[in-house]
Every structure is written in C-alpha cells, then in structure tokens.
Amino acid sequence: MKYLLFLLIFFSAFYGYAQLSEVQKHELDSVYRIAIDTTKSLETRLRAYNRSSWNSVYKDYELGQKITSEYLTLAKSSKNKIRIAKASHFKGYTEMMLGENNTALNTYQVGLKAAINSEDKIQIAQLNGDLGNLMFKIGKTDEAIEFHQKCLEIADLYKLTVQKARARINLGEIYETQGKYKQSLQMFQEALSICIDNTLGGFLSSVYVSLGDVNLSIKEYEIASKNYESALNYTQKFPNINRVIQSLQKLGILNQELDRYYKAGKYLFFGFIIISIN
C-alpha cells in the first residue's frame, strides 16, 4: 500500500508535465526563424508564427506566451482580423495556464471581436469555447455553460466538426463536476461518435478517459475499466506521452479502489517507468 501511495503521489506531481523534445525544439527553431525574418513577406511570417505558436503553447507556457505575444502584435499591425483571432486563441491559452486570468479574458475578447468582424465561424466558435474554459476555471460555471452552448450552436449550425466535438467534451466535463452524470455521459458519448465518424483520432483517448471517469463516479467499474483500456489503446495509435501516463494512472486508481493491488501496481509502475525515461 505504501508503494502504491508513493506512485500515486509521483503521478500527481508529474502528470501534465510537458516539455519540448529535441525534434520539436529543432522544428520550432526552424519555423520561428522564418517568423522573425523581416525580409520575408508578411503572410509568410504570420503563417510561421501560427505554426510556432502551435508548437510551443501546449508544451512551454512561458515560451508560448512570448511567441504568441509577438504573433498578436504582428497580426494587429497588419490589421489581419483572422490572424488576430488565431493569435488571441493561442495567447489567451498561455495566459490562462499561467494564472493570468484577467489578461486572458481581455485577449480572448479581442480575438472574439476580430473573429466576428471577419465572420470567421471557426474562430467564433473556438473563442467562445476558450471563454467557456476560462469562466469554468475561475468558478463562473453558469457563464461557462453559456459560452460552450454558444460554441455548440455555431458548430452544429455550420458543421464545424472539431468544434462540435470540443463543445460537447467541455460541457460534459462541467456536467460531471456538477454531478449531472446522465447529461455528462450524453455529451461524452455524442463527442465520441463525432470523433469516430470523422476520424478525429487525437481526441479519442481523452474522451474515453472522460467516459471512464463518469463511470467510476457512478460505480460502473467494469465499464470504466473498458473505457480506460480503450483510452490506453488509442494512445498507441496516436502517440501522446501525457495521455499514456493519464490512462495508466486512471487504471491504477480504479484497480486500487477495487482492491486489485497487484494490477493497480502494475499500471502505476509502467507509468512510473514512462515518466522516468521521458
């Protein structure tokens, strides 16, 4: 038991930890050099900044904030509303993850205004979702639901596949925290169908984990186990170290709750090894 407790504490400390690999650093450096090269055309630099933002914000928040700040400044100077919306999406995310919630709110609002002015339906839906995530983070659940429902409405109306799935995932997570498990399961199951039907494989591990979490909450242990196993399987098809660790952690916690200590220890130990070598 002490051994399992140690592994759980270890997971808690390291889950969500991410850093750029050497390959990712090389790619980021190459693209970023284009972004800051003033001899390049404005559109070429903006495209490079967009790629640099994508490569950095989910791995290194401070680096991502630096790059996205430059991206947004260039987009504003060019008066390119679509690029302003995209840069605001990335920059607001880094600010939110760094706890700069008021700044993130302002950034997202700037982006949403630009998206509306340019009639970019994808960015309008996405930035409503961003604002929903921010509202949920600061405890304004009702406002979060309103933003996510707006995102869902736009996504369904204009058949925006990725946003359709994300809106349902976000609403499912909120309903789960509220104890509205039936509504939560419905949202996650709808998101799962969208992902399967549209081959959005990168989302599947996350959705299966979310389904498993709800199953666990309502003590549907065997269904939870199957969903966590599915999540783990999809991390092999669409590699993501954090998702692998998360799936192993969930399986470890589930089996520990069922007093299957050997099985729990096996999953947690595999996760420990993966963390140690990455």
Side-chain angles (χ1 to χ4, degrees):
M1 285 295 293
K2 288 182 179 179
Y3 174 69
L4 291 180
L5 180 60
F6 164 75
L7 288 177
L8 284 171
I9 293 171
F10 187 83
F11 268 95
S12 298
F14 282 88
Y15 174 66
Y17 171 75
Q19 60 181 351
L20 291 163
S21 68
E22 290 304 315
V23 172
Q24 290 169 330
K25 286 179 183 177
H26 178 71
E27 181 182 355
L28 176 58
D29 288 343
S30 299
V31 179
Y32 183 64
R33 279 197 293 270
I34 296 172
I36 62 176
D37 186 348
T38 56
T39 66
K40 302 292 186 184
S41 72
L42 184 59
E43 184 54 33
T44 296
R45 293 182 64 199
L46 287 168
R47 284 200 303 268
Y49 263 122
N50 197 76
R51 187 63 187 174
S52 298
S53 297
W54 174 263
N55 287 343
S56 62
V57 297
Y58 305 113
K59 294 289 184 179
D60 187 326
Y61 303 140
E62 292 182 353
L63 175 61
Q65 188 176 53
K66 174 184 179 298
I67 291 172
T68 56
S69 294
E70 294 172 7
Y71 182 16
L72 184 55
T73 297
L74 185 62
K76 285 180 176 178
S77 71
S78 70
K79 298 182 181 179
N80 185 322
K81 292 182 176 61
I82 293 175
R83 289 296 181 186
I84 290 171
K86 290 182 177 181
S88 297
H89 162 69
F90 287 126
K91 183 171 180 283
Y93 178 80
T94 64
E95 290 162 347
M96 182 174 68
M97 297 309 291
L98 291 169
E100 299 170 9
N101 297 325
N102 290 334
T103 307
L105 176 60
N106 179 67
T107 299
Y108 284 146
Q109 288 172 334
V110 167
L112 182 58
K113 182 179 178 180
I116 291 170
N117 288 339
S118 64
E119 299 182 350
D120 186 331
K121 301 300 188 296
I122 292 176
Q123 295 304 316
I124 293 171
Q126 183 159 266
L127 283 153
N128 270 288
D130 291 338
L131 283 161
N133 289 334
L134 178 60
M135 291 300 106
F136 185 50
K137 180 175 184 282
I138 63 179
K140 295 185 177 181
T141 305
D142 290 341
E143 291 182 41
I145 291 173
E146 288 179 11
F147 278 118
H148 287 312
Q149 287 178 335
K150 182 66 175 176
C151 174
L152 184 61
E153 176 187 329
I154 296 166
D156 284 345
L157 179 62
Y158 294 101
K159 297 179 174 58
L160 308 176
T161 305
V162 172
Q163 286 70 29
K164 284 168 65 174
R166 280 180 173 157
R168 286 167 170 81
I169 292 168
N170 289 327
L171 284 167
E173 290 174 349
I174 293 175
Y175 292 144
E176 182 188 358
T177 63
Q178 293 178 323
K180 298 177 180 178
Y181 299 122
K182 184 177 180 180
Q183 290 171 267
S184 180
L185 283 173
Q186 180 183 343
M187 287 293 108
F188 289 137
Q189 286 164 350
E190 288 178 8
L192 183 64
S193 295
I194 291 168
C195 292
I196 291 172
D197 292 345
N198 295 277
T199 60
L200 300 177
F203 286 98
L204 287 172
S205 177
S206 174
V207 177
Y208 274 117
V209 164
S210 295
L211 280 166
D213 287 346
V214 181
N215 298 139
L216 183 58
S217 295
I218 59 180
K219 302 187 185 306
E220 294 179 345
Y221 295 118
E222 294 308 317
I223 299 175
S225 182
K226 288 179 182 178
N227 281 323
Y228 289 148
E229 289 282 3
S230 294
L232 185 59
N233 289 336
Y234 275 103
T235 63
Q236 297 170 11
K237 297 178 183 179
F238 303 92
N240 183 314
I241 294 298
N242 270 351
R243 292 298 181 196
V244 173
I245 294 168
Q246 182 189 40
S247 300
L248 291 168
Q249 180 192 35
K250 296 289 185 178
L251 284 162
I253 291 170
L254 170 64
N255 282 282
Q256 185 178 15
E257 186 164 332
L258 295 173
D259 296 331
R260 300 171 182 169
Y261 297 116
Y262 174 77
K263 204 169 184 179
K266 181 180 71 173
Y267 285 121
L268 293 174
F269 181 71
F270 286 154
F272 175 86
I273 295 299
I274 291 170
I275 291 172
S276 299
I277 63 178
N278 281 279

